[in-house]
Amino acid sequence: VEDAEGPGGALESYRVTYTDGAGGDVVLYVTQLRDADAAGATAGARAGTYAEATPDGTVTALPVVIGGAQTSEATIRTVPSGTGAATWVNGTVAFHAEGPADGIEDFFRAFPL
């Protein structure tokens, strides 16, 4: 876990690296903001940057469920080169994870919110 540079107005921002020991690292950027609109904008900007860098990607939308209710949607983007990203919001927190394409959706589904 290390501090990361977040957008202006971020209360805190971290870069967390998860590893399976076999080269399947997932890097997660977590940014706490003051309100849900700012969190949505931050998540959208991160997803947009990844999409621009990977124009040949395939996109899937999955529900973000908190306390049994859907609160938003996650964007899962995978590319033929074998990388992927998951981006979602939980209230005032923006999440963006990058890692192996064949594991990024599983990471999102297993991530404890």
Side-chain angles (χ1 to χ4, degrees), residues 2-7 10-15 30-32 46:
E2 58 189 296
D3 289 337
E5 185 175 330
L11 300 174
E12 55 189 327
S13 190
Y14 301 98
R15 181 180 186 266
V30 181
T31 306
Q32 173 72 56
R46 285 204 185 268

Side-chain angles (χ1 to χ4, degrees), residues 72-85:
S72 63
E73 282 190 341
T75 300
I76 311 296
R77 183 177 189 87
T78 56
V79 293
S81 64
T83 64

Side-chain angles (χ1 to χ4, degrees), residues 4-7 13 29 31 41-51 87 95-96 98:
E5 185 175 330
S13 190
Y29 297 90
T31 306
T42 296
R46 285 204 185 268
T49 298
Y50 189 79
T87 309
F95 297 92
H96 178 81
E98 294 183 16

